[in-house]
Amino acid sequence: MPSIISSLSYQYKRLNHAKDDLKKCLISKKHGASKDMLPPKALKNHHQVQVSAKSGRPVYYVDFEKAEEKPCIFYFHGGSFLTGLSKKHWRFVRRLLFGTGCPVVIPDYPLIPEYTHKRILSFCMEVYLELTETCPHGVILIGDCAGANLAMASAKSAVQKKSRIPNQLLLLSPYLDLSGNNPIKNVLAHRDPLLEPESCQEAALLYAGSRSLTDPLVSPVFGSMKGLPKVTVWTGDSDILYADTLLLKEALKKSHTPYHIYTYPNMVHDWMFERIPEGRKALRQIVMTIREYL
């Protein structure tokens, strides 16, 4: 049974038509509130925050002086490739810093509709490859929703390029299959108050550009998983993207890639960012998963 507070939270989202948020952003082509994309004062007051411009986009390095002591966490925020960093993402960054003591790097990567997967993924790989040179203890990739897509695509590109692979790959409510061919998503759509298939598919088409939606660069759940580090996933069985995790599980088993999947009953998309008991439990698991390899 979900906690009372989580049930109330999801009822509130339904009453406020949260499903329409992505559709509104697609129509207006807005990426979110600019002020929320910047590191908050609470973060800067307690941590050293540096910013570097890469190909015209900011990349934030938090407590990067610790890179000589611990692995670097490279975190890709979610938002269907359309919306930028937000308050919930910065809260998550603070939790990672407090819980692991590792430096965290956050790219403000290019977004649709101005850019497609080619520009977005190449930007992420540019930063990742730089981190493999400057982080002697390795890099941990974490991403939520579309950010999980970028994290996995970056890890698979590293394998293909025979570059240094990440130490770990952590995926939260991952958006890995952009094809729109999975009927399970339509079955789950009425249970998830945050996402609906039509808007997700519109965003997917903008992200893919001229490339096929089933291309592994666009939908990294397809193609070989061999060579990847251990993959740990957090998902809810009322998230329409739970369908992507089911596909991922089969692909990882087929390639004999180590993995662990935390499936929370009745949880919806990105529930681990919510201030609910289940969200706090998931955050503890995320921190402990990272600390096991420090």
Side-chain angles (χ1 to χ4, degrees), residues 90-245:
W90 290 115
R91 285 199 304 268
F92 179 59
V93 168
R94 290 182 65 190
R95 185 67 181 88
L96 291 175
L97 290 162
F98 177 78
T100 70
C102 294
V104 182
V105 179
I106 310 101
D108 186 0
Y109 55 81
L111 299 167
I112 63 170
E114 292 87 351
Y115 302 96
T116 66
H117 82 283
K118 185 175 182 180
R119 174 75 176 89
I120 297 170
L121 187 55
S122 66
F123 174 88
C124 294
M125 278 303 296
E126 178 186 351
V127 182
Y128 172 75
L129 292 174
E130 181 185 87
L131 290 178
T132 63
E133 299 295 327
T134 55
C135 298
H137 297 280
V139 180
I140 297 165
L141 294 185
I142 304 180
D144 71 275
C145 187
N149 181 303
L150 295 174
M152 172 156 271
S154 297
K156 293 179 74 171
S157 293
V159 172
Q160 292 168 1
K161 295 176 184 294
K162 297 183 178 179
S163 302
R164 185 175 181 179
I165 65 168
N167 298 11
Q168 298 180 70
L169 182 56
L170 282 67
L171 310 177
L172 320 179
S173 288
Y175 187 20
L176 304 175
D177 172 18
L178 277 61
S179 70
N181 297 329
N182 194 330
I184 296 176
K185 291 186 178 180
N186 293 323
V187 174
L188 292 172
H190 76 282
R191 298 173 60 183
D192 192 332
L194 295 173
L195 294 179
E196 49 89 19
E198 291 77 12
S199 295
C200 288
Q201 201 58 28
E202 185 177 346
L205 289 167
L206 289 170
Y207 178 70
S210 60
R211 195 174 286 268
S212 168
L213 290 173
T214 57
D215 189 298
L217 285 174
V218 174
S219 295
V221 75
F222 302 120
S224 175
M225 300 287 171
K226 290 183 178 179
L228 290 177
K230 183 177 180 180
V231 180
T232 310
V233 184
W234 283 263
T235 185
D237 65 9
S238 292
D239 178 357
I240 68 168
L241 300 185
Y242 177 56
D244 296 34
T245 296

Side-chain angles (χ1 to χ4, degrees), residues 241-262:
L241 300 185
Y242 177 56
D244 296 34
T245 296
L246 295 178
L247 285 179
L248 175 63
K249 180 179 179 180
E250 292 305 311
L252 293 171
K253 287 171 63 177
K254 185 177 180 180
S255 65
H256 303 289
T257 300
Y259 71 91
H260 187 85
I261 298 174
Y262 292 95

Side-chain angles (χ1 to χ4, degrees), residues 45-67:
N45 287 342
H46 296 91
H47 301 276
Q48 186 179 42
V49 180
Q50 300 169 300
V51 60
S52 176
K54 304 290 182 186
S55 302
R57 303 287 300 189
V59 179
Y60 300 98
Y61 299 79
V62 187
D63 290 348
F64 200 66
E65 71 280 0
K66 295 181 180 178

